């Protein structure tokens, strides 16, 4: 049971680490892409993106507003260029601080569960002693 607990903890820790690393990579990309031709191109692509045929079931007004919102994100990257490069200076460490707090919480919960499993598990010596006392 303890092996299963720590295996699940390891998998959750890896997933959490991967998610934070991905968020850090996206933040770093946004910082470098802001204000460049990439961000302007992205805004234009999102603004002029033709809707796929398989989205025909969806409300066209909703899809148009979604397209405009995505275009606004690209435009926001262009306009936020002066401060987003400095913001990545604290966003990166803040993400890793959140990662450390998440890992600490995960390990604390797993340790508590480990102790509970240990305390609640039947002890063989007590089980045999009780069985031996009942046979007398």
């Amino acid at each position: 049971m303890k092996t299963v607990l720590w295996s699940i903890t390891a998998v959750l820790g890896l997933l959490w680490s991967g998610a934070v690393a991905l968020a850090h990579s996206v933040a770093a990309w946004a910082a470098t892409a802001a204000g460049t031709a990439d961000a302007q191109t992205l805004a234009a692509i999102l603004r002029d993106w033709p809707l796929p045929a398989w989205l025909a079931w969806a409300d066209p007004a909703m899809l148009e507003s979604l397209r405009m919102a995505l275009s606004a994100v690209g435009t926001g990257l262009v306009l936020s260029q002066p401060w987003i490069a400095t913001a990545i200076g604290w966003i990166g460490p803040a993400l890793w601080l959140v990662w450390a707090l998440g890992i600490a919480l995960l390990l604390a919960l797993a340790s508590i569960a480990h102790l509970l499993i240990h305390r609640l598990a039947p002890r063989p010596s007590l089980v045999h002693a009780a069985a031996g006392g009942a046979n007398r």
Side-chain angles (χ1 to χ4, degrees):
M1 189 66 151
K2 291 177 186 177
T3 304
V4 172
L5 170 71
W6 288 107
S7 297
I8 291 171
T9 301
V11 168
L12 289 175
L14 288 173
L15 290 174
W16 176 244
S17 298
V20 172
L22 180 64
H24 186 263
S25 296
V26 168
W29 170 82
T32 58
T36 64
D38 292 340
Q40 293 171 350
T41 304
L42 175 65
I45 287 172
L46 293 174
R47 185 182 58 248
D48 301 331
W49 177 51
L51 296 174
W54 60 269
L55 285 176
W57 58 270
D59 181 25
M62 180 196 64
L63 293 174
E64 186 61 31
S65 65
L66 176 65
R67 181 188 343 205
M68 295 314 289
L70 290 174
S71 176
V73 167
T75 304
L77 282 174
V78 173
L79 295 176
S80 64
Q81 192 272 336
W83 62 269
I84 199 164
T86 58
I88 195 64
W90 61 267
I91 290 175
L95 282 171
W96 289 111
L97 179 64
V98 169
W99 170 82
L101 292 173
I103 289 293
L105 178 65
L106 179 66
L107 289 175
L109 291 174
S111 297
I112 291 169
H114 180 95
L115 290 174
L116 287 174
I117 290 170
H118 179 72
R119 286 189 179 230
L120 297 176
R123 294 196 172 88
S125 60
L126 296 178
V127 172
H128 293 304
N135 289 337
R136 290 183 193 184

